[in-house]
Amino acid sequence: DGGITQSPKYLFRKEGQNVTLSCEQNLNHDAMYWYRQDPGQGLRLIYYSQIVNDFQKGDIAEGYSVSREKKESFPLTVTSAQKNPTAFYLCASSTNRGPVPQHFGDGTRLSIL
Amino acid sequence: GNSVTQMEGPVTLSEEAFLTINCTYTATGYPSLFWYVQYPGEGLQLLLKATKADDKGSNKGFEATYRKETTSFHLEKGSVQVSDSAVYFCALSQGAQKLVFGQGTRLTINP
């Protein structure tokens, strides 16, 4: 079955370290997205990519970076510049080149040691 | 700017009860409206959507009607099951703009 795979499910980071979250999809979707979810809040868009080798900042891009070298992969790096990185991170994708994700991964929970 | 407001949770119901989760929005023009569901430990799934006024989205026994006059998109189900326990998110998009989510409503169904 096609879908989105995020790994790892749980991730721990020491302060001052960069960490990369993996997102792979085999749905042949053009667009991919990264969202951050905090307790009691809705999702906030970090970055999105509508096509390979192109991506745009979302609402909360500071302290994060992405790449889109392959259609099926959209890794997110949480840098040391992100002051409050503890959150649940969700990757998503969609068939159209618009803002509406149709499929989500199961998420990665990032915690700071 | 665009925004979405959902009813405060958590919501706790007994099995077979009627469910309503309120959602209202603020936007210029005619946004598209969505409900997503997040089961424990998982990502979100698109539950249903409506793209124009008076449209009714439906899926898995859930329904929501796009009401332009009241700027609402309330989620309803006639008889809930324990397996419906999840967090429900209302969201909107407009043109080429990004998706805007409500804060989510946690639903717990007791047997």
Side-chain angles (χ1 to χ4, degrees):
Chain A
D1 287 343
I4 297 177
T5 301
Q6 289 188 242
S7 60
K9 194 169 181 66
Y10 299 96
L11 190 58
F12 299 92
R13 188 191 93 172
K14 294 181 179 179
E15 290 209 31
Q17 282 185 338
N18 293 351
V19 63
T20 297
L21 283 59
S22 170
C23 177
E24 304 281 330
Q25 55 101 355
N26 60 2
L27 299 163
N28 199 34
H29 285 175
D30 288 315
M32 297 186 73
Y33 313 80
W34 274 105
Y35 287 88
R36 171 180 171 138
Q37 185 179 19
D38 293 286
Q41 297 187 35
L43 279 65
R44 292 182 289 170
L45 182 64
I46 304 172
Y47 269 98
Y48 65 102
S49 167
Q50 297 176 317
I51 195 170
V52 174
N53 293 322
D54 187 47
F55 47 83
Q56 289 78 41
K57 293 182 179 180
D59 295 323
I60 55 167
E62 185 175 352
Y64 299 97
S65 66
V66 293
S67 63
R68 187 85 186 277
E69 297 177 0
K70 298 185 296 183
K71 187 175 185 177
E72 59 270 22
S73 178
F74 192 41
L76 173 74
T77 297
V78 184
T79 74
S80 57
Q82 170 50 241
K83 298 307 179 187
N84 184 24
T86 297
F88 191 52
Y89 291 88
L90 287 164
C91 179
S93 69
S94 64
T95 54
N96 57 327
R97 294 180 182 181
V100 183
Q102 297 158 339
H103 294 265
F104 281 79
D106 286 343
T108 293
R109 187 167 299 281
L110 174 63
S111 302
I112 302 303
L113 296 178
Chain B
N2 296 343
S3 66
V4 175
T5 302
Q6 292 181 231
M7 67 184 292
E8 291 286 334
V11 174
T12 302
L13 296 171
S14 297
E15 208 166 18
E16 299 183 5
F18 184 87
L19 168 71
T20 300
I21 300 179
N22 289 340
C23 171
T24 57
Y25 67 90
T26 301
T28 56
Y30 295 87
S32 295
L33 302 172
F34 308 85
W35 277 101
Y36 287 84
V37 58
Q38 184 178 32
Y39 297 105
E42 298 183 11
L44 274 69
Q45 301 176 26
L46 179 61
L47 180 60
L48 54 85
K49 67 179 181 181
T51 58
K52 61 182 188 295
D54 299 325
D55 267 2
K56 178 184 286 187
S58 62
N59 186 25
K60 299 182 180 180
F62 290 90
E63 293 183 340
T65 301
Y66 188 141
R67 301 288 188 198
K68 178 66 176 175
E69 63 275 13
T70 54
T71 62
S72 65
F73 193 55
H74 305 322
L75 183 68
E76 296 181 336
K77 187 174 184 181
S79 177
V80 292
Q81 305 300 313
V82 172
S83 58
D84 293 327
S85 298
V87 180
Y88 292 82
F89 292 91
C90 185
L92 70 80
S93 73
Q94 191 163 23
Q97 296 180 31
K98 60 188 180 297
L99 210 57
V100 175
F101 286 88
Q103 77 274 27
T105 301
R106 182 175 299 278
L107 173 66
T108 300
I109 307 299
N110 294 322

